[in-house]
Amino acid sequence: MKKVMAVNAGSSSLKFKLYEMPEETVICSGIAERIGHDDAIFTIKYNGEKDEQILPIKDHAVAVQILLDKLLEKKIIASYDEIKATGHRIVQGGKYFASSAVFDKDTEDKIESLIPLAPLHNAAHLVGFRAFKKVLPEVPAVAVFDTAFHQTMEAQDYVYPIPYEYTEKYDIRRYGAHGTSHQYLAQEAEKYLKDVNHPRLITCHIGSGASISAIKDGKCVATSMGLTPLGGIMMGTRTGDIDPSVMKYCCFCENKDAEEMFQIFNKKSGLLGVSGISNDSRDVIKAMNEGDERAKLAYQLLVRRIADFIGQYFVRLGGADLIVFSAGIGENSPETRELVCDAISEALGIIIDKELNNELRGKEGLISTEESKIKVAVIPTDEEIMIARDAYNMLLK
Ligand code: AMP
């Protein structure tokens, strides 16, 4: 039994989950938030109890030190060297990484060189990694990339129709996101596809960020997110795919530059922008059910875009054997699943059991009936276990 820490560092936060591997038992989990502030919040969940503390956390290294002290204090570990490996989530692996990589100097340099493609994310991940390295210099680490799973796409699925020299010179292409989640869903889905020779899967990771992937024989064929997480289906605050001239014309009308409008398309659009109410699907669904017309339109847009991508990927895969719903909305919102399935049922012959669908919140199971031409399942995603598995398999096995 070996203890492995899965880490997801953001610009002002650090999420962690400590596992006993290879058993995959979660020992404890938690988050340091508002790093850089005097009133930062450190939360740890252990043995069914939640311990929350408000305290100054100057930087990520201090957050790691607090975490390790807590592990000792709660007797979760007897000494630091019980932690045998760490695994770090990295959003952008660019063209370099088609799988997870040992976190050596070369990996670090490549992640650093990709910062322009994911300025908020990659920079923060490196800060998180270096914080662990400072406090636990001898503990080996792996980098697990959100983009790696999508590297199996063919050029026709990732090249943009811009001047080709831009593609070549600047590596501008579709990279996708949530790859660790889509890969996890593909692996978990195998149990529903035992009698199928070359399984074709459409995985819908629908949370505040959202993406859909087409997967054949366990490999990603196409995915909805693009160069950055702004692309693909509409999201809580992001536009998803739109005509690029909307950007130019909005800049002209509002007298704003491209950077300002880019921020608006990232942070003030999507469900929030259209409904004017919230980026949280729960609030928008509630308002829609109370008769708010803009909330209704916002939700129709979201459902339409999910349905359109499923249709597109049905064609891309030459059919589909299973559609999976996952992440915050996909796992917990039967209303959304029902609306999406209603939108595709006539074309794809999908029939769901509405009672079964209503019962499934945050739990795994099939929601399609025996008669449905395509199976439909809900599978809660787990990106952290994928990180812990890679850390264990690559460093400790
Ligand atoms: P994620 O980014 O995967 O954590 O998903 C977060 C989003 O899931 C939230 O912003 C909500 O919109 C959505 N969500 C969570 N719980 C529910 C629920 N019970 N019903 C509808 N949407 C939910």
Side-chain angles (χ1 to χ4, degrees), residues 205-209 271 279-282 285 299 327-329 332-336 361:
H205 176 114
I206 317 288
S208 48
L271 280 181
N279 64 327
D280 192 309
S281 61
R282 285 164 287 202
I285 292 172
Y299 228 72
I329 300 174
N332 299 300
S333 173
E335 296 93 336
T336 311
R361 290 169 200 259

Side-chain angles (χ1 to χ4, degrees), residues 245-290:
S245 58
V246 175
M247 160 76 111
K248 181 169 180 270
Y249 196 58
C250 285
C251 286
F252 167 75
C253 294
E254 285 282 304
N255 195 23
K256 289 187 171 16
D257 64 23
E259 179 54 35
E260 283 174 290
M261 201 47 73
F262 182 69
Q263 292 302 329
I264 290 168
F265 283 9
N266 263 293
K267 295 184 180 148
K268 300 214 161 117
S269 302
L271 280 181
L272 172 67
V274 179
S275 71
I277 292 171
S278 170
N279 64 327
D280 192 309
S281 61
R282 285 164 287 202
D283 303 331
V284 182
I285 292 172
K286 184 165 173 281
M288 172 173 77
N289 291 339
E290 286 165 3

Side-chain angles (χ1 to χ4, degrees), residues 148-181:
F149 182 61
H150 303 307
Q151 285 287 306
T152 46
M153 285 190 288
E154 293 175 17
Q156 58 174 319
D157 294 293
Y158 68 74
V159 172
Y160 289 119
I162 53 173
Y164 193 64
E165 64 264 30
Y166 295 175
T167 306
E168 284 188 310
K169 265 202 286 190
Y170 311 120
D171 296 322
I172 295 172
R173 49 161 287 179
R174 182 190 300 279
Y175 288 105
H178 302 133
T180 313
S181 171

Side-chain angles (χ1 to χ4, degrees), residues 48-356:
E49 278 175 26
K50 188 168 146 185
D51 177 350
E52 190 179 291
Q53 228 181 317
I54 297 181
L55 74 178
I57 304 182
K58 186 169 65 100
D59 56 28
H60 284 71
V62 172
V64 174
Q65 192 61 61
I66 292 169
L67 162 61
L68 293 173
D69 289 347
K70 267 279 179 251
L71 297 182
L72 289 175
E73 182 193 312
K74 289 186 176 289
K75 301 198 170 31
I76 298 170
I77 56 171
S79 71
Y80 289 176
D81 52 357
E82 273 184 42
I83 298 170
K84 299 295 182 202
T86 60
H88 299 259
R89 178 197 180 204
I90 310 289
V91 160
Q92 182 54 266
K95 63 181 173 184
Y96 301 117
F97 300 101
S99 56
S100 300
V102 172
F103 226 131
D104 54 17
K105 181 78 177 69
D106 181 53
T107 301
E108 208 178 323
D109 290 346
K110 284 179 176 143
I111 295 170
E112 181 131 40
S113 75
L114 293 165
I115 287 177
L117 277 177
L120 291 179
H121 288 106
N122 270 32
H125 301 325
L126 277 179
V127 169
F129 163 72
R130 287 170 184 151
F132 269 92
K133 191 90 197 140
K134 189 171 165 195
V135 186
L136 299 173
E138 304 303 328
V139 177
V142 293
V144 180
F145 301 92
D146 276 19
T147 48
F149 182 61
H150 303 307
Q151 285 287 306
T152 46
M153 285 190 288
E154 293 175 17
Q156 58 174 319
D157 294 293
Y158 68 74
V159 172
Y160 289 119
I162 53 173
Y164 193 64
E165 64 264 30
Y166 295 175
T167 306
E168 284 188 310
K169 265 202 286 190
Y170 311 120
D171 296 322
I172 295 172
R173 49 161 287 179
R174 182 190 300 279
Y175 288 105
H178 302 133
T180 313
S181 171
H182 289 288
Q183 188 173 18
Y184 175 82
L185 297 174
Q187 288 173 5
E188 289 297 304
E190 279 171 17
K191 57 169 125 4
Y192 300 108
L193 298 162
K194 281 199 178 114
D195 50 347
V196 183
N197 262 340
H198 295 286
R200 299 155 301 180
L201 195 63
I202 299 173
T203 46
C204 307
H205 176 114
I206 317 288
S208 48
S211 66
I212 302 186
S213 289
I215 299 167
K216 198 169 198 167
D217 288 324
K219 292 202 170 68
C220 177
V221 170
T223 196
S224 63
M225 269 187 176
L227 175 74
T228 73
L230 183 58
I233 58 172
M234 165 183 156
M235 292 164 243
T237 61
R238 295 176 227 160
T239 58
D241 293 347
I242 53 171
D243 174 355
S245 58
V246 175
M247 160 76 111
K248 181 169 180 270
Y249 196 58
C250 285
C251 286
F252 167 75
C253 294
E254 285 282 304
N255 195 23
K256 289 187 171 16
D257 64 23
E259 179 54 35
E260 283 174 290
M261 201 47 73
F262 182 69
Q263 292 302 329
I264 290 168
F265 283 9
N266 263 293
K267 295 184 180 148
K268 300 214 161 117
S269 302
L271 280 181
L272 172 67
V274 179
S275 71
I277 292 171
S278 170
N279 64 327
D280 192 309
S281 61
R282 285 164 287 202
D283 303 331
V284 182
I285 292 172
K286 184 165 173 281
M288 172 173 77
N289 291 339
E290 286 165 3
D292 187 287
E293 284 301 321
R294 269 176 56 192
K296 186 172 165 200
L297 177 62
Y299 228 72
Q300 279 175 335
L301 289 183
L302 176 71
V303 168
R304 170 69 24 230
R305 273 148 185 76
I306 298 171
D308 285 353
F309 263 102
I310 293 175
Q312 183 184 327
Y313 289 166
F314 178 85
V315 173
R316 181 67 185 83
L317 291 167
D321 302 295
L322 176 69
I323 296 172
V324 177
F325 286 100
S326 192
I329 300 174
E331 290 165 27
N332 299 300
S333 173
E335 296 93 336
T336 311
R337 295 192 299 249
E338 187 175 329
L339 288 167
V340 171
C341 288
D342 282 350
I344 56 177
S345 67
E346 195 180 347
L348 304 187
I350 283 171
I351 309 167
I352 60 162
D353 180 324
K354 295 197 172 171
E355 256 177 57
L356 217 55

Side-chain angles (χ1 to χ4, degrees), residues 22-37:
E23 294 76 10
E24 303 193 348
T25 320
V26 178
I27 304 170
C28 67
S29 64
I31 184 168
E33 295 166 275
R34 292 180 54 77
I35 294 174
H37 292 82

